[in-house]
């Protein structure tokens, strides 16, 4: 083997290792409702790598633990899209009721839940087979989010026409209760141990802290105008709330239930997601057609990334 050949192979091996390191970072998937696409962002470089064409009106997005398949609601086709995240191709279209919105996958990857607005229900699927397991009626009208607790025991459901969060027992596959909150609950997030839930209520610009075991609200934290999206840091010490009418994100300290910082972002911030290590928060800005990136340690915006039209939310895997 010549020296030049050895050198060339060493260089190629180094490049491969470098590429592997870069692509080891998780991707952020952003459904763009108006442009019928999903923008794929490399969180290592905060650049858009590609666009996945979905057609229709993609809204809610979720994925299993390995990120191999994306579950995306299409509000135009009234279906749940199963997408191969690597190939960017639609594998299946599972029928739903009219105007599906938020989608969630249980932490163990077994179940997918979809909030369906016009049927006032949550549809539960087997994630592996795509079989529909149940269509669960809820009290709130026009449900928007149906989110699994980390322990997989509960689904909490928010709705546009409600002053409560509906509680579904996953094992029983029916609503077993509700917890009173403010008008128009939107985003829902959980403490890592499932003991608390945090709910943004848009019309009262407030985040409610819920005790799941006791079935009651423990605190009401004033937020910005039209509070809607919620994300919870992996360490459980900080909750993030997006304020749609103020183009900002607030950081709430969970020990004191008080706002400790406010960060300016794009217009009409909506749903959000954190990287698995909690280092960065990605915020979908519906009217800016962008995603703002917040460094969580410094509580500072570090980037604005152009995406498609009317981004609805963010998934990071």
């Amino acid at each position: 083997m010549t020296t030049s050949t050895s050198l060339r192979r060493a260089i190629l091996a180094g490049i491969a290792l470098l590429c592997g390191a870069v692509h080891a970072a998780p991707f952020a998937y952003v459904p763009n409702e108006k442009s019928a696409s999903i923008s794929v962002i490399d969180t290592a470089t905060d650049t858009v790598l590609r666009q996945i064409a979905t057609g229709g009106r993609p809204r809610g997005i979720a994925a299993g633990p390995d990120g191999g398949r994306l579950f995306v609601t299409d509000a135009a086709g009234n279906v749940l899209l199963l997408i191969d995240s690597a190939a960017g191709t639609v594998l299946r279209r599972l029928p739903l009721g009219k105007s599906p919105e938020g989608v969630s996958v249980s932490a163990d990857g077994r179940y997918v839940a979809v909030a369906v607005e016009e049927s006032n229900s949550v549809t539960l699927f087997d994630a592996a087979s795509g079989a529909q397991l149940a269509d669960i009626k809820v009290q709130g009208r026009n449900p928007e989010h149906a989110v699994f607790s980390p322990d997989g025991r509960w689904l909490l459901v928010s709705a546009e026409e409600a002053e409560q969060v509906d509680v579904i027992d996953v094992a029983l596959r029916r609503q077993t209760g509700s917890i009173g909150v403010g008008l128009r609950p939107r985003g829902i997030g959980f403490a890592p141990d499932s003991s608390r839930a945090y709910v943004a209520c848009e019309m009262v610009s407030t985040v409610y802290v819920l005790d799941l075991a006791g079935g009651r609200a423990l605190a009401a934290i004033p937020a910005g105008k039209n509070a809607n999206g919620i994300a919870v840091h992996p360490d459980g010490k900080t909750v993030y709330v997006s304020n749609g009418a103020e183009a900002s994100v607030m950081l709430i300290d969970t020990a004191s239930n008080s706002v400790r910082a406010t960060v300016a972002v794009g217009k009409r911030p909506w749903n959000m997601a954190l990287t698995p290590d909690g280092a960065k928060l990605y915020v979908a800005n519906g009217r800016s057609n962008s995603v703002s990136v917040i460094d969580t340690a410094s509580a500072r915006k570090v980037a604005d990334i152009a995406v498609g039209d009317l981004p609805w939310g963010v998934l990071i895997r």
Side-chain angles (χ1 to χ4, degrees), residues 271-298:
N271 297 303
M272 310 175 288
L274 287 145
T275 51
D277 61 5
K280 292 196 287 187
L281 176 73
Y282 289 73
V283 185
N285 303 311
R287 290 182 183 162
S288 294
N289 298 331
S290 68
V291 170
S292 293
V293 184
I294 294 173
D295 176 85
T296 59
S298 63

Side-chain angles (χ1 to χ4, degrees), residues 24-74:
F27 298 125
Y29 298 90
V30 182
N32 305 299
E33 187 173 358
K34 193 173 180 180
S35 57
S37 66
I38 297 171
S39 299
V40 183
I41 297 169
D42 184 344
T43 63
T45 61
D46 287 337
T47 56
V48 175
L49 298 177
R50 60 193 172 107
Q51 303 285 346
I52 299 174
T54 61
R57 289 170 53 203
R59 283 176 164 176
I61 186 168
D66 66 0
R69 287 194 299 172
L70 307 177
F71 300 91
V72 182
T73 53
D74 171 14

Side-chain angles (χ1 to χ4, degrees), residues 39-236:
S39 299
V40 183
I41 297 169
D42 184 344
T43 63
T45 61
D46 287 337
T47 56
V48 175
L49 298 177
R50 60 193 172 107
Q51 303 285 346
I52 299 174
T54 61
R57 289 170 53 203
R59 283 176 164 176
I61 186 168
D66 66 0
R69 287 194 299 172
L70 307 177
F71 300 91
V72 182
T73 53
D74 171 14
N78 299 320
V79 294
L80 179 66
L81 304 175
L82 274 60
I83 297 174
D84 183 305
S85 61
T89 55
V90 177
L91 302 173
R92 296 181 65 184
R93 290 175 169 83
L94 305 179
L96 290 164
K98 290 184 179 179
S99 193
E101 198 148 353
V103 56
S104 175
V105 175
S106 58
D108 61 7
R110 292 179 61 193
Y111 302 119
V112 182
V114 182
V116 184
E117 290 188 301
E118 293 196 22
S119 61
N120 300 318
S121 67
V122 174
T123 305
L124 189 67
F125 292 96
D126 180 279
S129 68
Q132 181 175 317
L133 302 175
D135 191 59
I136 305 162
K137 296 296 182 183
V138 291
Q139 293 175 353
R141 296 182 60 81
N142 297 326
E144 180 171 344
H145 293 284
V147 184
F148 286 98
S149 57
D151 62 10
R153 183 178 179 184
W154 309 108
L155 272 166
L156 292 194
V157 186
S158 62
E160 291 186 13
E161 297 178 48
E163 290 184 80
Q164 83 279 344
V165 172
D166 294 327
V167 181
I168 291 173
D169 184 303
V170 175
L172 297 178
R173 296 178 187 173
R174 63 179 175 86
Q175 181 178 341
T176 55
S178 62
I179 302 173
V181 293
L183 183 61
R184 189 172 288 178
R186 293 283 202 182
I188 300 169
F190 287 90
D193 65 359
S194 300
S195 64
R196 301 282 185 269
Y198 300 86
V199 182
C201 292
E202 186 174 31
M203 300 309 291
V204 294
S205 303
T206 299
V207 173
Y208 285 79
V209 184
L210 308 185
D211 171 14
L212 292 186
R216 62 192 180 96
L218 296 175
I221 306 166
K225 188 174 181 181
N226 297 142
N228 46 60
I230 288 283
V232 181
H233 195 278
D235 66 12

Side-chain angles (χ1 to χ4, degrees), residues 260-279:
R260 65 177 176 84
T262 301
V263 183
V265 291
K267 296 178 181 178
R268 191 188 174 274
W270 197 239
N271 297 303
M272 310 175 288
L274 287 145
T275 51
D277 61 5

